[in-house]
Each structure stands twice: as structure tokens, then as C-alpha cells.
Amino acid sequence: MPEHASTGQHGSPAREVGAFLRRRAEQISQRWADEPLFRTVFTVSRDEAVEAGRIVVDALAQVADTDQVHDPDAAGFTVVREQLSRMGAARSRAGFTTAQVSNDVDALRPPVENLLVADLPDEPTELVRDCTTALTVLMGTMRLVVLETALSEGQALIERQRLQLMEVATPVIKLWDGIVAVPLIGTLDSARSQVVMETLLEAVVDQHARFAILDITGVPTVDSLVAQHLMKTVAAARLMGAECVVSGIRPAIAQTIVQLGLDLGTVITRASLADALAYALHELGADIINATPGGAGHR
Amino acid sequence: METAAGVDACLPIRSDMDLVWVRQHVRQAAGLLGFGLVEQTKLVTAASELARNTLVHGGGGRMETAGLTNGHTRGLRLTFSDEGPGIPDLERALGDGYTSGDGLGMGLGGARRLVHEFAVDSTPGVGTKVTVVSWADRSPRPRGEF
Ligand SMILES: Nc1ncnc2c1ncn2[C@@H]1O[C@H](COP(=O)(O)OP(=O)(O)OP(=O)(O)O)[C@@H](O)[C@H]1O
Ligand SMILES: [Mg+2]
């Protein structure tokens, strides 16, 4: 074959691989389009899969041209990152484990290797071996790049969701002039307790609140750590001039707290949020008077 | 009587997130075994205390759960184990208000009050194993109340 005339003149096996990738870009991307990684992401059109494959092959050729098959930071891998990590992320979202994504990426290597070996029939075995090694390293680095991206995306997602949860779960509601409430929902770990405390103290200052109601109806477990956090929040609010009322302690939780030996001693508690509000209003001098049947009050 | 599926398990305790799984698993298992809301809440709270001790003081470990039957009563055994520093003075650690960290020092003693059976096996330098059992029906109470 005439192309083979150039073989051996470039010296480096990596560049050899680069030239091969350009030469066989079409066949490689056609074969990749049938591999799970591409097939499951481009479900609508095979042409798109082939097109994405071509872009990746081209980028890999660029990396090989510059002799950087070892280097995950090579410029060419930026494109690989964009293309393949999108697929990796799609696979992760679909519930595939990192190991499966890794296998998927690894499955892209054999078709290329077969083409490479078939492409160099008359070359010395040493060169064939060096080229195959360079290709293996290149594909290994690509796998690393994809996994790195997939992992960091996963971590970023978890971190984002964690922060969102923290914020979503701690709205401070103004119930009345001078009365704010936080309905706590879910697990009160140390990080969330910190957010709750800060949000509540800010609201106390901003709204000149005299009463802050912490409603724990939505907190499934009150153990010594949660109790400790609640008491710290109460103490801090007190320093800011606001009295805390803890409401929503369900009967099972009340019994548990007592048996656990926790002393909520100085904390004012009320059964429900409504009771807590009534208490705070009363303390502020704005009593709620239930309309009695036949009374003068309007409905 | 066969053990309800999904009760027996071994869960890692390595992070705050694992504590959430521990509580959820105990709650679910106790529910499957027919625990009432109060007994369920007590056992989950005890598990929360012991799992946090495993994490914070024991440097991480695991919780094993096993469903039990005693006549018509079903129970749940939780075993928390770690290979941490151990508890040098168990009596003191079980006492209310003793903490080697900045806790309230209520966890260990409190957990003992919340369950029906409680045993600690701790060797300094080797690790700690805390085993607790609670029953769906409160009648079999070896540490009698009166
Ligand atoms: N698994 C363990 N390994 C080593 N030491 C432990 C372990 N569990 C408990 N301890 C010791 O026993 C002490 C008392 O435990 P306890 O749970 O009662 O209190 P705490 O964890 O310090 O505070 P908290 O009230 O927040 O639980 C601990 O401070 C610690 O020194
Ligand atoms: Mg503790």
C-alpha cells in the first residue's frame, strides 16, 4: 500500500499511531459507533455517534502527534473530555457504576488495535509492538481522563445537591411581627445545624425578632447530638435577644429524650407550632381570643 | 417464624452519611419486625448514638443487624464494632455526662436505657464492640424494671 511508504520515517511510535489514526479515522469511528459507550448515548442517530467518534479520533491523533500519549493534560484531551465525559456522565446518570463506564471506555481499544496491526503487515515486529504499546498507553490515558471527569462531575453534583438541600431545608418564616419560625426537616447533622443556626440568627437580627420557633416535627431522630445543636441554637438566639421555642416534639420522641437522659431544661417547648405561636403572641401581649359561639366577634 | 427479609445486614460506618443509612435501616428493620412507634424510635435513637461513637471515637467500623425470635416475640440485635482505641474505663464512659470529646456524654449510658439488652466488649488498643437487643413486645425484659 502506498501510504506505508511514510511508515518509519517519523521515528516515534506515537507519531506513527497519530498518522494511523488519521488514516483510519473513518473505520475507527464506524466501529466505535457500535460499542456500548457510543450506542447507548446516541440512541437516535448512528450518524451522530460516528461523528462524535470522528472528533475523538481526531483529538487522539493530535495527542499522539505531539508525543503526549502519557499526559492527561495534553491539549488534545480537552476535546476528549468534552465528548466522552458527556457520554460517561450520561451512563452514570443511567445508573452505571464507574467500573462499568471504565469497561465501556476500555472496549474502544480492541477495534483500534486490530486495525493498527492489520495496517502494519510488513513492518518489523519491533515497530508493530512499539506502536501497539503507544496506542495502549494513549487509550489508557483517555480512560483516565474520562473517569476523572466523570468522578469530579459526580462529586460536584453531590456537593451541589448537599448545599441545595441545606438551603431548601432551612427557610425562616416570619409568622408575625417579632416572631420567626424554622420548620426543620430531615437529618440535623453538624453542618446543617450550623446553617440552621446562622440562618436563624440572621433572621432574628433582620426582623428584630423577639421569638424564634424551632419546629422539629420533620426531624425523625433526636439524639444527644441533635439536642446539643438545639440547645446551642437556643443559647445563641438568647444572646441576640430572642427567646426560642421548640415545637413539634412528638410523643415517641419525648419519651426517648427523657430515657436518653437529655435535659432540655431551660428550653421552652410546646407540642405544636400553633401552640408555640400562641405562646409567643401571648408573651408579646397580642393574645388570640377564640370566637365564642354567639359572641360579638366576626368570623 | 422466619425472619423478615431485609432485616439482616452489615452496614459500614465511615461517614456522617453512613449514620443516615444506619438509622434508616434500623427504623425499617424494626418496622418489619412489628416494633411499635415508641420502641422503634428508642432503638433508632440508641443506634444513632452507638453508630456515632463508632465513627467519632472508634475511628469507623460497622453495624451488623440480626432479626431474633423468642416464642411469639420478635427482636432485633444490633452489633457495633470498631478497631479503635477502646474504652479504658467503661464504668466512667457509661456514666452520664462523661465525655472525652466535646459531646454531652449522654450517648452510651442513654443508649443502654433505651434498649432491652446491652453489652459492651472493649479492649484498649484493640477495639470496641457494643451489642444491643430490643424486642417488639416489651415483656421479655431481663433487666427488670422493678
Ligand atoms: N466505640 C468507642 N471507642 C472508643 N471510645 C468510646 C467508644 N464509644 C464511647 N467511647 C468513650 O466513651 C465516652 C462516652 O461516650 P458517650 O457516647 O456517652 O459520650 P460522647 O460520645 O462523648 O458524647 P455524646 O453525648 O455526644 O454521645 C466517649 O467520650 C468516649 O471516650
Ligand atoms: Mg456518643
Side-chain angles (χ1 to χ4, degrees):
Chain A
M1 280 192 179
E3 299 105 295
H4 288 171
S6 63
T7 314
Q9 287 173 6
H10 298 289
S12 130
R15 281 181 214 172
E16 226 29 84
V17 169
F20 152 77
L21 288 171
R22 287 192 205 289
R23 216 161 47 228
R24 295 293 180 194
E26 187 56 31
Q27 286 102 313
I28 297 172
S29 37
Q30 288 289 344
R31 292 192 190 189
W32 280 0
D34 296 323
E35 293 296 332
L37 186 68
F38 283 81
R39 211 179 53 221
T40 49
V41 174
F42 299 95
T43 46
V44 183
S45 141
R46 190 173 184 280
D47 287 348
E48 274 182 39
V50 176
E51 180 54 34
R54 240 182 250 129
I55 295 172
V56 173
V57 175
D58 193 54
L60 289 178
Q62 202 185 315
V63 173
D65 285 348
T66 51
D67 258 336
Q68 286 176 290
V69 292
H70 285 101
D71 182 6
D73 296 325
F77 278 126
T78 313
V79 179
V80 173
R81 249 182 214 110
E82 280 165 18
Q83 289 290 326
L84 286 192
S85 65
R86 240 189 309 139
M87 298 180 212
R91 299 281 273 166
S92 310
R93 273 196 299 278
F96 286 88
T97 63
T98 313
Q100 280 167 310
V101 173
S102 169
N103 283 342
D104 284 354
V105 179
D106 204 32
L108 300 180
R109 187 171 49 86
V112 187
E113 208 172 273
N114 294 342
L115 278 172
L116 177 70
V117 174
D119 232 18
L120 308 169
D122 306 321
E123 300 300 335
T125 41
E126 203 164 303
L127 179 72
V128 176
R129 200 192 55 215
D130 288 350
C131 286
T132 318
T133 307
L135 178 69
T136 306
V137 172
L138 178 64
M139 298 298 285
T141 310
M142 176 172 88
R143 179 156 65 147
L144 183 70
V145 166
V146 175
L147 289 184
E148 241 173 30
T149 319
L151 280 178
S152 69
E153 269 182 16
Q155 269 159 6
L157 180 72
I158 291 169
E159 185 58 17
R160 249 187 341 263
Q161 286 174 335
R162 203 174 64 85
L163 289 177
Q164 275 170 359
L165 256 181
M166 274 195 200
E167 284 178 8
V168 167
T170 51
V172 178
I173 302 159
K174 180 179 172 184
L175 291 181
W176 205 268
D177 266 342
I179 306 175
V180 293
V182 197
L184 297 170
I185 292 161
T187 303
L188 270 187
D189 59 18
S190 298
R192 264 203 64 206
S193 303
Q194 192 60 32
V195 175
V196 169
M197 175 134 74
E198 278 165 19
T199 329
L200 184 73
L201 294 182
E202 259 169 44
V204 164
V205 174
D206 290 351
Q207 322 233 352
H208 308 287
R210 296 251 331 267
F211 287 90
I213 302 173
L214 290 162
D215 187 81
I216 60 167
T217 309
V219 178
T221 309
V222 179
D223 61 10
S224 63
L225 186 73
V226 173
Q228 199 184 4
H229 287 317
L230 282 177
M231 288 191 286
K232 274 186 188 159
T233 307
V234 170
R238 213 169 259 161
L239 286 177
M240 314 288 306
E243 194 60 54
C244 275
V245 185
V246 176
S247 67
I249 303 180
R250 282 160 290 144
I253 292 199
Q255 293 181 53
T256 303
I257 290 178
V258 170
Q259 214 162 23
L260 194 53
L262 300 177
D263 181 14
L264 293 182
T266 60
V267 181
I268 301 164
T269 57
R270 285 295 179 271
S272 69
L273 183 58
D275 292 340
L277 177 60
Y279 165 82
L281 285 171
H282 174 79
E283 291 294 303
L284 286 174
D287 280 293
I288 299 174
I289 291 148
N290 286 324
T292 45
H298 37 233
R299 283 175 291 168
Chain B
M1 202 182 268
E2 85 284 28
T3 309
V7 169
D8 295 359
C10 180
L11 279 73
I13 301 174
R14 304 239 156 260
S15 68
D16 272 359
M17 198 58 214
D18 289 342
L19 299 183
V20 177
W21 299 132
V22 161
R23 285 192 290 265
Q24 283 185 0
H25 180 77
V26 173
R27 188 182 301 282
Q28 209 167 28
L32 283 171
L33 293 170
F35 279 62
L37 185 60
V38 174
E39 287 310 312
Q40 195 174 315
T41 305
K42 287 181 183 177
L43 187 58
V44 171
T45 307
S48 183
E49 294 294 350
L50 297 173
R52 185 174 300 103
N53 282 353
T54 301
L55 179 68
V56 175
H57 307 298
R62 65 215 66 82
M63 173 187 75
E64 280 161 80
T65 56
L68 308 173
T69 30
N70 179 2
H72 289 295
T73 314
R74 303 226 259 181
L76 188 59
R77 182 176 60 220
L78 310 176
T79 309
F80 300 83
S81 49
D82 63 64
E83 286 76 46
I87 306 175
D89 186 345
L90 190 58
E91 272 319 301
R92 194 157 70 131
L94 278 166
D96 286 348
Y98 171 76
T99 176
S100 60
D102 59 356
L104 294 176
M106 299 304 293
L108 206 56
R112 174 158 71 166
R113 287 187 287 270
L114 288 171
V115 297
H116 297 162
E117 295 161 37
F118 182 95
V120 183
D121 178 8
S122 184
T123 313
V126 177
T128 300
K129 186 157 111 178
V130 182
T131 308
V132 301
V133 174
S134 274
W135 299 93
D137 179 355
R138 35 173 57 253
S139 40
R141 252 200 122 126
R143 299 184 303 111
E145 284 156 318
F146 298 106

